[in-house]
């Protein structure tokens, strides 16, 4: 089980959190102007990297807030967590 | 055939060996039933005993919603000529005596579907049988040879592979890399609608034959069978986060073991021998991707998620056909990469059997 440092509450066990997938995905402002290809890319295509991954978590059974984390998917070590709106470290 | 590790050392050797074709949609039933029919003659075809054992796959319903959904799947199966039947709790108990069906259960058993032709096979034997049969047909199997690049020509078409043991020239490459599909396909500049998660399984200490079939419960998440070595083979769920570590968190296993102990009280004092994780590549609709890619000469067979073993012979057959002819096999056609663009999903989340 991961120990996840919530930027608001500190280190808590993983079962208090829900996972939100790849971070920094921006919804296109005018979806109707996109091609089907571009819209599918936004909806479904993910980096799924082997290594450094910026991802969203939510402290669901704690403060309830969303935040982002940098985790290495080959070790599961969390290098940093940061608040929504902040740039990845 | 270029393999980073050794044959059968990846998810082939890490899965719970369950075989069934009781999916919901016609497209899925077609490919999984194609595979099941091939399983039935596979030991003869490969001249190698893969220990296919059609001992029956029973899926439990714990509430009215489960029962409605599972009956819908059962009728979809039967409309497609696939065997599936509904059992009362008493009939389920008769088919699988260790099952607890008392009303005191937190999630009581209200019924079950049974696919009698479903069952298990010996995963290592499947890998070895296929390897030997392929070798006899002249296939070169290169182990401990990691692909490090996919070489493309000026037109964009595939020209060959870079590997840790040197380059290979070829006009066609079929990528079947399971959890690492995103990583390998990115070498050719292709991104995929995939996320890779750890999926765990565990086995108990070996005991005498005690469990006659495969039992699955989607609602409380447990599936269990007994191997010919006597170990109870138990499948847990995926972890919450994407990872390539081939291990998962203990609380995921505990969640499954709690359900197993509730459904099968006779196993409460059994010791677990070992647990492990495999990396599964999951699509949003829980169906695989088989077919052509935007890169000429590059083919992909991935996205099998939490349940690819059962499809092995069918998946291999339609993929080989697709690569050889350069066009999708009719059974594989609905599973194209374009279905995400076109919105033609094959949403098997309910029938996939593993919670995500």
């Amino acid at each position: 089980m991961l120990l996840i440092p919530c930027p608001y509450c500190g280190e808590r066990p993983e079962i208090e959190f829900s996972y939100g997938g790849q971070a920094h995905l921006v919804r296109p402002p005018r979806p109707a102007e996109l091609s089907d290809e571009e819209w599918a890319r936004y909806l479904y295509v993910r980096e799924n990297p082997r290594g450094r991954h910026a991802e969203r978590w939510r402290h669901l059974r704690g403060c309830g807030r969303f935040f982002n984390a940098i985790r290495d998917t080959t070790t599961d070590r969390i290098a940093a967590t940061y608040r929504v709106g902040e740039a990845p470290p | 055939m270029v393999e980073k590790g050794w044959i059968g050392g990846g998810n082939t050797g890490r899965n719970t060996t369950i075989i069934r074709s009781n999916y919901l949609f016609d497209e899925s039933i077609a490919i999984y039933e194609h595979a099941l029919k091939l399983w039935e003659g596979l030991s003869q075809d490969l001249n190698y005993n893969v220990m296919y054992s059609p001992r029956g796959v029973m899926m439990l319903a714990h509430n009215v919603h489960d029962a409605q959904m599972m009956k819908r799947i059962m009728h979809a199966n039967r409309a497609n000529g696939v065997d599936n039947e509904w059992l009362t709790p008493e009939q389920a108990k008769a088919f699988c005596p260790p099952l607890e069906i008392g009303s005191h259960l937190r999630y009581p058993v209200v019924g079950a579907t049974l696919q009698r032709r479903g069952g298990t096979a010996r995963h290592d034997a499947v890998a070895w049988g296929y390897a030997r049969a392929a070798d006899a047909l002249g296939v070169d199997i290169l182990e401990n040879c990691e692909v490090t690049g996919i070489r493309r020509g000026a037109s964009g078409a595939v020209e060959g592979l870079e590997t840790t043991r040197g380059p290979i020239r070829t006009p066609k490459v079929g990528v079947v890399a399971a959890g690492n599909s995103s990583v390998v396909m990115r070498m050719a500049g292709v991104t995929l609608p995939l996320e890779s998660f750890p999926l765990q399984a565990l086995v108990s200490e070996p005991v005498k034959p005690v469990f006659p079939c495969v039992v699955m419960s989607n609602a409380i998440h447990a599936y269990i069978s007994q191997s010919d070595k006597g170990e109870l083979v138990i499948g847990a769920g995926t972890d919450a986060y994407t990872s390539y570590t081939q291990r998962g968190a203990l609380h995921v296993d505990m969640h499954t073991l709690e359900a197993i102990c509730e459904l099968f009280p006779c196993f409460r004092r059994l010791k677990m021998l070992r647990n492990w994780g495999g990396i599964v590549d999951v699509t949003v609709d829980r169906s695989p991707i088989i077919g052509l890619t935007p890169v000429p000469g590059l083919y992909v067979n991935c996205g099998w998620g939490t349940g690819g073993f059962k499809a092995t012979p069918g998946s291999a057959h339609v993929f080989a056909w697709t690569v050889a002819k350069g066009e999708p096999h009719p059974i594989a056609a609905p599973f194209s990469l374009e279905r995400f663009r076109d919105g033609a999903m094959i949403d098997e989340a309910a029938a996939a059997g593993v919670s995500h």
Side-chain angles (χ1 to χ4, degrees):
Chain A
M1 188 184 302
L2 304 180
L3 272 176
I4 301 175
C6 170
Y8 304 95
C9 310
E11 213 163 64
R12 297 292 173 87
E14 178 198 328
I15 48 172
E16 290 188 14
F17 296 83
S18 64
Y19 184 66
Q22 185 180 328
H24 307 300
L25 289 170
V26 180
R27 184 186 165 92
R30 282 177 288 280
E33 292 174 11
L34 299 183
S35 68
D36 290 349
E37 201 87 48
E38 290 164 332
W39 184 236
R41 179 163 293 273
Y42 161 70
L43 285 180
Y44 306 124
V45 173
R46 296 292 177 264
E47 287 296 317
N48 198 24
R50 199 185 166 93
R52 183 185 150 100
H53 189 224
E55 59 194 15
R56 290 195 313 162
W57 286 88
R58 186 182 177 203
H59 195 185
L60 185 67
R61 292 166 193 89
C63 64
R65 281 189 272 197
F66 283 94
F67 61 92
N68 295 323
I70 302 289
R71 186 174 53 88
D72 188 328
T73 61
T74 61
T75 61
D76 289 340
R77 284 220 173 79
I78 295 173
T81 54
Y82 51 103
R83 298 179 184 204
V84 171
E86 293 176 358
Chain B
M1 220 213 81
V2 184
E3 162 65 49
K4 177 172 77 172
W6 59 92
I7 298 290
N11 288 356
T12 308
R14 290 169 175 267
N15 71 87
T16 50
T17 77
I18 295 166
I19 294 167
R20 59 188 178 91
S21 62
N22 53 352
Y23 280 70
L24 175 60
F25 293 103
D26 295 352
E27 297 88 345
S28 311
I29 294 169
I31 192 162
Y32 290 109
E33 180 62 15
H34 179 50
L36 187 50
K37 290 206 172 96
L38 290 170
W39 277 114
E40 289 168 344
L42 196 62
S43 292
Q44 295 299 320
D45 293 341
L46 298 178
N47 189 24
Y48 198 101
N49 187 3
V50 299
M51 297 161 80
Y52 166 59
S53 165
R55 57 185 64 184
V57 171
M58 193 163 75
M59 302 179 94
L60 303 178
H62 298 281
N63 52 52
V64 68
H65 309 292
D66 274 4
Q68 287 172 345
M69 186 63 208
M70 289 167 63
K71 282 180 180 172
R72 184 182 167 203
I73 292 174
M74 176 186 75
H75 290 307
N77 291 163
R78 294 168 76 144
N80 277 282
V82 171
D83 76 303
N84 202 342
E85 59 197 271
W86 182 254
L87 302 184
T88 64
E90 292 72 26
Q91 289 170 320
K93 171 90 178 162
F95 190 72
C96 181
L99 179 66
E100 176 62 54
I101 56 169
S103 59
H104 63 278
L105 291 180
R106 171 66 181 83
Y107 298 100
V109 175
V110 302
T113 58
L114 173 62
Q115 185 178 25
R116 292 183 189 271
R117 290 159 61 239
T120 58
R122 178 76 206 162
H123 48 358
D124 298 320
V126 175
W128 298 330
Y130 260 108
R132 195 180 70 162
D135 181 68
L137 290 171
V139 175
D140 292 318
I141 300 174
L142 307 174
E143 294 183 297
N144 298 310
C145 181
E146 183 176 354
V147 172
T148 54
I150 297 173
R151 199 186 289 173
R152 296 170 63 185
S155 66
V158 165
E159 284 192 340
L161 292 177
E162 304 286 347
T163 78
T164 49
R165 296 174 65 183
I168 301 169
R169 283 210 304 201
T170 169
K172 286 189 178 183
V173 170
V175 175
V176 190
N180 282 298
S181 295
S182 297
V183 177
V184 176
M185 291 297 284
R186 198 174 294 122
M187 295 173 186
V190 178
T191 52
L192 293 170
L194 289 178
E195 289 187 298
S196 296
F197 294 92
L199 176 66
Q200 293 186 76
L202 52 162
V203 291
S204 73
E205 57 187 330
V207 290
K208 287 187 175 178
V210 62
F211 204 77
C213 58
V214 179
V215 173
M216 310 180 68
S217 167
N218 290 2
I220 57 177
H221 202 273
Y223 48 102
I224 180 168
S225 64
Q226 187 172 21
S227 75
D228 292 323
K229 288 194 290 183
E231 302 155 332
L232 292 173
V233 183
I234 298 168
T238 55
D239 276 81
Y241 47 85
T242 63
S243 179
Y244 289 88
T245 55
Q246 292 190 318
R247 60 175 180 264
L250 188 61
H251 69 265
V252 177
D253 293 326
M254 293 306 294
H255 179 72
T256 287
L257 289 175
E258 284 161 8
I260 294 287
C261 290
E262 182 85 347
L263 285 173
F264 308 103
C266 60
F267 296 149
R268 280 181 184 170
R269 296 177 66 184
L270 207 59
K271 293 184 182 71
M272 289 298 134
L273 203 61
R274 60 183 186 274
N275 71 326
W276 64 90
I279 301 304
V280 297
D281 46 330
V282 178
T283 57
V284 286
D285 62 357
R286 312 305 181 214
S287 288
I289 302 169
I290 314 165
L292 285 64
T293 70
V295 176
L298 185 66
Y299 303 83
V300 71
N301 186 350
C302 67
W304 288 94
T306 54
F309 179 77
K310 67 175 79 70
T312 301
S315 159
H317 173 245
V318 299
F319 188 56
W321 195 100
T322 300
V323 174
K325 305 218 176 194
E327 59 180 279
H329 185 281
I331 291 177
F335 298 96
S336 72
L337 194 50
E338 288 78 38
R339 77 172 185 273
F340 298 94
R341 179 196 66 199
D342 300 338
M345 302 295 192
I346 305 162
D347 186 359
E348 289 289 358
V354 170
S355 62
H356 299 83

